[in-house]
Amino acid sequence: MMSLGDDREVLREAPVGVFDSGVGGLTVVREIMRQIPNEKIIYFGDTARVPYGSKSKETITRYSRQIVRFLREQKVKAIVAACNTASAYALSEIEKEIDIPIIGVVKPGAKVAAEVTRNGRVGVIGTEGTVGSRIYSTYIKEIKPEIQVLGKACPLFVPLAEEGLWQDPVTDEIAKRYLSELIESDIDTLILGCTHYPLIRSTLGRIMGEKVTLVNPAYETARELRELLEQEQLLNRKKQELGMNCHRFYVSDMADKFQSFANSILKYGILSAKKIDIENY
Amino acid sequence: MMSLGDDREVLREAPVGVFDSGVGGLTVVREIMRQIPNEKIIYFGDTARVPYGSKSKETITRYSRQIVRFLREQKVKAIVAACNTASAYALSEIEKEIDIPIIGVVKPGAKVAAEVTRNGRVGVIGTEGTVGSRIYSTYIKEIKPEIQVLGKACPLFVPLAEEGLWQDPVTDEIAKRYLSELIESDIDTLILGCTHYPLIRSTLGRIMGEKVTLVNPAYETARELRELLEQEQLLNRKKQELGMNCHRFYVSDMADKFQSFANSILKYGILSAKKIDIENY
């Protein structure tokens, strides 16, 4: 017979579930691997239904519910919605429906932005869905109501990042256009409100100038995940062996393409990505 | 009691079903409206699951089957797959499964390209799915095996067109990169193998130069639809009243956004687009 203590130990070694509409969430995975390397990760990328940023709240909530059902079947101990659109649209409903911790990328990013701004002017860039939801503004104003939050949707950044144009005159030109309003508005803090954006971080930093602090919610989310697991006594104390054998990657389509993109983002190659039929969940 | 003749008359007045992954198929609708203005159109744009171009054959075939079931429920007399990826991946299977005529955009485009090339070198631009399938090459070589077909996937053209950058230095720059190989290959004919591309036709024409003939499958498809309906005695002889009341537009998500994009492509405003749950079909 197992004691309660044993159960907790088993639970500690359970994996963390991470999901995104596609490959963008891998920037969050990268941060989790850096900050809490003992944790096993089960990743799901919804590559059949990407992008989420231009879809409705109703649709994104339905998709997120299916993914959460899939991840729970994999016996994860906690879930990270590593997608700004899913965090903005679906998280508040889903956290009421499940009994394991779930965090998104929005709250951690909002918290840090509220802390670091000095002039009280924060910019947010993201998909149409994320920016239109005004979710960063809601969270930031809960912390400091006097902060002004300016949003700008940047729909071309995701396809440019996925085409690999991370440092390219075209990405520069598009970024200059998207960011000009924010620069004129004299913000001192810019939230990268889409998990793809860390890939073009150096372009964004150069254009915004060194007086503007870039907030990367991927980094803040990994930190918050660590705190949450510590607090719930769920941090895995067993050291992982080197290599990626302990992590598992699932997608809803195009596993090969996902795998090669993942290999360009993560430090070491993933063994394989497996395709599942998410619409059955 | 209705005679067989009456039945045929009723069938003639039935609408034509047209579908695409999103808004691109509206360039085909525009051509059908120009060339056979008496026909009523029922359009379905799969805006919840767009884009199709980066998804697998299996997924696209499943999506297309669901859409065909929906359109049949609307009592259409014929179906146009106004999407190159769906035409490339799903058409040959679906045409075996249904008893009304269905045509795609690939065959009509391939036929004209085979006719107009003088030096036997034809280029095809499209999504990864369409280009990877080599479907244009297959059809062209059935007509003239000696023709050389060169394909080039252009993944950024769809997001650029959807952002409205139809004439823009960024679209110019991206087009120059994508098309340089084809220009060096000395093609004299270029197939716009994605229904979004007619929107950036003037950019493509300028970069390819006037010696290269651009083939727009949307135009050729409307012509083939006319011939098919004539041949099957299904052409609607009853003149439509002015305005768009006789056409109906359905989408799987974001009806408002679709509507405003449609209004920038079609001659007169569509009354409304209705959202349906395509995954139930």
Side-chain angles (χ1 to χ4, degrees), chain A residues 48 50-51 54-56 58-59 62-63 128 155-156 163 168 170 173 177-178 253-254 257 275 279, chain B residues 47-48 50-51 54-56 58-59 62-63 128 155-156 163 168 170 173 177-178 253-254 257 275 279:
Chain A
V50 69
S54 52
K55 284 159 194 158
S56 69
E58 190 191 341
T59 298
R62 187 159 51 80
Y63 289 176
E128 287 170 76
L156 282 170
E163 263 290 82
D168 190 282
V170 165
E173 169 61 25
R177 294 188 201 178
Y178 282 147
D253 205 2
M254 303 290 264
K257 198 179 151 193
K275 183 181 158 183
E279 279 165 36
Chain B
T47 48
V50 69
S54 53
K55 285 161 194 156
S56 68
E58 190 191 342
T59 299
R62 186 161 51 82
Y63 290 176
E128 288 170 76
L156 283 170
E163 264 290 82
D168 191 281
V170 165
E173 169 60 26
R177 294 188 200 177
Y178 282 147
D253 205 0
M254 303 290 265
K257 196 177 153 197
K275 183 180 159 183
E279 279 165 35

Side-chain angles (χ1 to χ4, degrees), chain A residues 25-274:
Chain A
L26 292 170
T27 63
V28 179
V29 168
R30 183 169 62 180
E31 289 298 336
I32 296 173
M33 288 176 173
R34 276 180 195 153
Q35 296 183 36
I36 29 179
N38 285 359
E39 299 301 330
K40 296 173 199 159
I41 293 166
I42 299 215
Y43 185 87
F44 177 77
D46 201 356
T47 49
R49 304 188 293 195
V50 69
Y52 279 10
S54 52
K55 284 159 194 158
S56 69
K57 177 171 180 166
E58 190 191 341
T59 298
I60 298 309
T61 305
R62 187 159 51 80
Y63 289 176
S64 302
R65 277 204 184 98
Q66 289 175 322
I67 297 166
V68 165
R69 277 196 284 273
F70 166 72
L71 290 173
R72 299 226 54 193
E73 217 183 79
Q74 312 304 309
K75 312 270 186 228
V76 297
K77 63 184 173 187
I79 293 176
V80 179
C83 168
N84 281 269
T85 311
S87 301
Y89 280 161
L91 200 65
S92 62
E93 291 203 31
I94 289 176
E95 63 188 3
K96 289 179 219 150
E97 298 163 5
I98 60 171
D99 57 2
I100 58 169
I102 179 166
I103 62 169
V105 286
V106 173
K107 248 184 202 167
K111 205 173 129 196
V112 171
E115 281 163 15
V116 301
T117 181
R118 297 164 310 274
N119 72 0
R121 301 177 72 78
V122 173
V124 178
I125 52 175
T127 64
E128 287 170 76
T130 302
V131 172
S133 75
R134 305 186 60 77
I135 182 90
Y136 275 101
S137 175
T138 306
Y139 284 136
I140 289 173
K141 283 174 185 294
E142 275 176 17
I143 306 169
K144 289 191 188 161
E146 68 278 15
I147 292 178
Q148 270 193 286
V149 182
L150 302 139
K152 175 71 186 170
C154 307
L156 282 170
F157 281 166
V158 170
L160 288 168
E162 296 215 343
E163 263 290 82
L165 306 185
W166 300 351
Q167 300 203 329
D168 190 282
V170 165
T171 307
D172 269 33
E173 169 61 25
I174 291 292
K176 276 178 199 153
R177 294 188 201 178
Y178 282 147
L179 302 176
S180 65
E181 281 172 50
L182 294 175
I183 293 172
E184 280 163 28
S185 306
D186 193 32
I187 57 165
D188 73 352
T189 306
L190 178 66
I191 300 173
L192 310 187
C194 170
T195 48
H196 276 83
Y197 297 178
L199 301 174
I200 55 167
R201 188 188 177 130
S202 66
T203 300
L204 300 174
R206 188 160 28 77
I207 288 167
M208 292 309 296
E210 55 189 21
K211 285 182 192 156
V212 176
T213 307
L214 300 190
V215 173
N216 177 3
Y219 178 85
E220 310 303 337
T221 301
R223 216 174 59 165
E224 179 148 320
L225 177 65
R226 186 202 183 101
E227 280 169 23
L228 175 77
L229 294 178
E230 261 170 5
Q231 186 186 311
E232 306 267 336
Q233 299 191 303
L234 282 172
L235 258 188
N236 192 359
R237 297 183 294 198
K238 207 166 164 184
K239 210 168 168 187
Q240 299 299 311
E241 283 169 40
L242 273 177
M244 306 269 291
N245 299 318
C246 49
H247 306 302
R248 275 179 291 156
F249 295 85
Y250 296 90
V251 291
S252 46
D253 205 2
M254 303 290 264
D256 291 347
K257 198 179 151 193
F258 175 87
Q259 210 172 308
S260 75
F261 198 89
N263 287 335
S264 70
I265 293 181
L266 301 176
K267 228 168 40 180
Y268 19 53
I270 64 176
L271 285 184
S272 69
K274 200 178 158 197

